[in-house]
Amino acid sequence: MYKKLTEIPVCRCTYHKGKLYCLAKDLNLLFSIDLQDGSIDLMDAVPGEDVLSSYLSGSIAVWNHTLILAPNKTKKIWLYDLITKQWNGVPIKEADCRESGGFYQTYIWNNKAFLIGGGYPAILCLDLEKNTCDYITKPYKEMMDRNPDSSYLYFRPNGVRIEDTLYLASCLDNYVLTFDMASLEHQWIKIGPDSSAYSGIAWDGTDFWLSPRSNNDIIRWDGRENVKAYPLPDEFSQHSEYVWDACFDGRQMVFPAVNHERNIQLDPENDSLHVYDEHYTLFKRLDNGIVVRQNNNADLTVTTEKLSVENSSMEIHSVENFSEKVFPVSVEADRLRQFYEERNLSIYKENTLYYETAGSQILSLKGFLNFANSGFQHRSDSDGTVGQAIWEKIR
């Protein structure tokens, strides 16, 4: 019988008081990882949603002792109190959305949370004391006026915050939106050639970096007039289907491909791009400078400056003033079963937990569960990485 759910891909996370608070990618699961000992606490599931749910929330943030889960496939902003362990849902207005209508970035300013619509056509300003929302739609109307024939997302999960100002890269054209959270004023800045559109933006402490939405150039921008273009390496420059994230890991710029097995990194010594054979399902720099990344094996690596590692059993790597802790995210099946049974939810068939891993991609549970229900039989000579991975775990 299958004993462990050995791989839990994380879709979103935030940091608070020594812990990472995470949302599972393919499960309705909110959990935390203690950054000292790697222990995992299964906290709760989003109310009213199925167990087999992927990317329920578009982003997660924390204010005081409250987690804020921005909608992606849910119809509410969900607030989870870490002390009382209670949920509170704030409904949002229906709108003409793109894709799932998600909010992929959340920023806290004083007692307000600003939720950036990626597919939803507004920035939501949530008053965290009154639980009321204001809708800021003008920037989106301006985007649509500039691009009346495009149906792509407005913004993806990468953004930059410098004090009270947000910098958001348009997925539709070659503009960056600056948004002042104090005054609610905004401005569009045109950057790079007219043919460009961006999928992410990062800041290395001196310059901004804009990752291309397809096969355009990576752009380096000093925040004023100076722009430098870095053409994609040859193996990517002829393909338009790739989407690139952008992250400064404290040492160099990294551009993980959302839908490719390789990533691009900038060599700071010779100011050139290099390709590396590593696929990340998550690569995120948090507001406090901690960098979290997860690969296809679901190993979660946390990088921070001068990380305290006393009494830690985690694997440690130190590079100059940076330390990395690698967390193998795994949960015993019996523990997960009890967690869901307490909430009258189940993902089991005849006491067996099914989970599918397929070579280079971690898939949802639903796919294999449907496959199992079809009545297939195990064969010792089963071919393919999917079957091999499944039977190694459940035989």
Side-chain angles (χ1 to χ4, degrees):
M1 181 180 293
Y2 183 88
K3 295 298 184 183
K4 280 190 175 182
L5 178 66
T6 55
E7 298 171 348
I8 303 180
V10 175
C11 70
R12 304 289 183 252
C13 64
T14 191
Y15 174 86
H16 181 62
K17 293 185 177 180
K19 294 183 178 181
L20 278 183
Y21 290 92
C22 305
L23 297 166
K25 184 172 83 70
D26 295 317
L27 287 172
N28 181 1
L29 177 63
L30 172 65
F31 66 99
S32 68
I33 303 174
D34 189 300
L35 295 186
Q36 284 299 317
D37 59 18
S39 60
I40 295 175
D41 178 23
L42 304 182
M43 297 168 59
D44 215 331
V46 177
E49 302 290 343
D50 293 337
V51 177
L52 301 176
S53 299
S54 61
Y55 290 103
L56 276 177
S57 296
S59 58
I60 181 172
V62 62
W63 173 74
N64 290 344
H65 50 79
T66 300
L67 296 178
I68 303 160
L69 280 61
N72 184 40
K73 296 180 180 178
T74 61
K75 301 301 181 183
K76 296 179 180 180
I77 304 168
W78 282 106
L79 308 177
Y80 181 82
D81 192 306
L82 293 170
I83 297 176
T84 66
K85 304 185 185 304
Q86 297 297 311
W87 291 96
N88 182 28
V90 180
I92 61 173
K93 296 178 182 178
E94 292 188 4
D96 184 11
C97 298
R98 301 183 176 191
E99 296 191 9
S100 61
F103 296 82
Y104 305 136
Q105 303 175 47
T106 299
Y107 301 92
I108 306 300
W109 183 82
N110 291 344
N111 65 334
K112 292 181 171 60
F114 288 88
L115 285 64
I116 310 301
Y120 192 99
I123 296 174
L124 266 59
C125 178
L126 171 64
D127 189 312
L128 293 165
E129 294 178 340
K130 300 177 182 178
N131 286 350
T132 57
C133 278
D134 291 325
Y135 294 75
I136 302 167
T137 60
K138 187 176 180 181
Y140 293 81
K141 292 177 181 177
E142 294 167 347
M143 293 179 77
M144 288 185 278
D145 288 343
R146 293 198 307 264
N147 305 276
D149 298 325
S150 178
S151 59
Y152 197 78
L153 293 173
Y154 303 106
F155 301 108
R156 297 196 71 255
N158 300 117
V160 171
R161 175 182 183 172
I162 301 178
E163 297 180 348
D164 295 340
T165 302
L166 304 180
Y167 295 81
L168 309 173
S170 168
C171 292
L172 304 184
D173 51 24
N174 60 330
Y175 282 81
V176 168
L177 176 69
T178 64
F179 180 80
D180 189 307
M181 293 183 287
S183 67
L184 306 185
E185 295 179 353
H186 75 278
Q187 179 184 2
W188 289 103
I189 303 174
K190 189 174 183 179
I191 301 170
D194 290 338
S195 60
S196 292
Y198 304 114
S199 61
I201 184 171
W203 189 54
D204 64 7
T206 302
D207 294 325
F208 294 91
W209 295 81
L210 295 156
S211 57
R213 201 191 83 189
S214 55
N215 59 346
N216 295 306
D217 297 339
I218 293 172
I219 298 295
R220 183 177 191 169
W221 172 49
D222 69 354
R224 295 177 293 277
E225 300 294 332
N226 296 323
V227 172
K228 180 178 180 179
Y230 296 75
L232 291 177
D234 291 342
E235 66 183 274
F236 302 114
S237 61
Q238 303 302 316
H239 300 275
S240 61
E241 67 270 24
Y242 301 138
V243 176
W244 302 89
D245 285 337
C247 182
F248 179 62
D249 70 358
R251 292 160 289 189
Q252 62 184 354
M253 283 300 307
V254 182
F255 303 94
V258 175
N259 46 3
H260 195 275
E261 297 306 305
R262 311 181 83 184
N263 68 87
I264 297 173
Q265 299 180 17
L266 178 84
D267 186 336
E269 293 186 1
N270 58 23
D271 195 34
S272 61
L273 301 177
H274 296 271
V275 178
Y276 291 86
D277 292 321
E278 182 93 44
H279 180 220
Y280 296 108
T281 57
L282 174 71
F283 207 121
K284 177 75 172 176
R285 183 182 179 90
L286 306 181
D287 287 343
N288 60 356
I290 288 178
V291 176
V292 181
R293 68 183 190 267
Q294 189 172 37
N295 59 20
N296 274 347
N297 296 325
D299 287 338
L300 197 72
T301 302
V302 178
T303 304
T304 187
E305 293 188 64
K306 299 179 181 178
L307 182 68
S308 174
V309 296
E310 294 180 5
N311 301 320
S312 173
S313 60
M314 298 297 100
E315 184 178 355
I316 305 297
H317 307 279
S318 295
V319 181
E320 297 175 349
N321 292 326
F322 294 86
S323 294
E324 293 184 346
K325 299 179 75 172
V326 181
F327 299 88
V329 184
S330 61
V331 179
E332 292 184 0
D334 288 342
R335 181 181 170 199
L336 196 65
R337 178 186 292 109
Q338 180 180 358
F339 171 84
Y340 282 121
E341 285 178 350
E342 290 172 352
R343 291 157 179 81
N344 295 317
L345 299 168
S346 179
I347 51 173
Y348 295 87
K349 178 178 172 60
E350 297 178 356
N351 295 321
T352 299
L353 171 64
Y354 292 99
Y355 191 76
E356 180 175 4
T357 59
S360 62
Q361 185 178 10
I362 300 174
L363 303 178
S364 70
L365 292 164
K366 187 177 295 184
F368 180 62
L369 195 56
N370 290 338
F371 187 43
N373 287 335
S374 68
F376 82 105
Q377 297 294 320
H378 169 51
R379 297 179 301 166
S380 59
D381 60 347
S382 293
D383 56 359
T385 56
V386 175
Q388 180 180 356
I390 293 168
W391 289 111
E392 285 297 319
K393 297 186 185 307
I394 68 173
R395 64 184 180 181

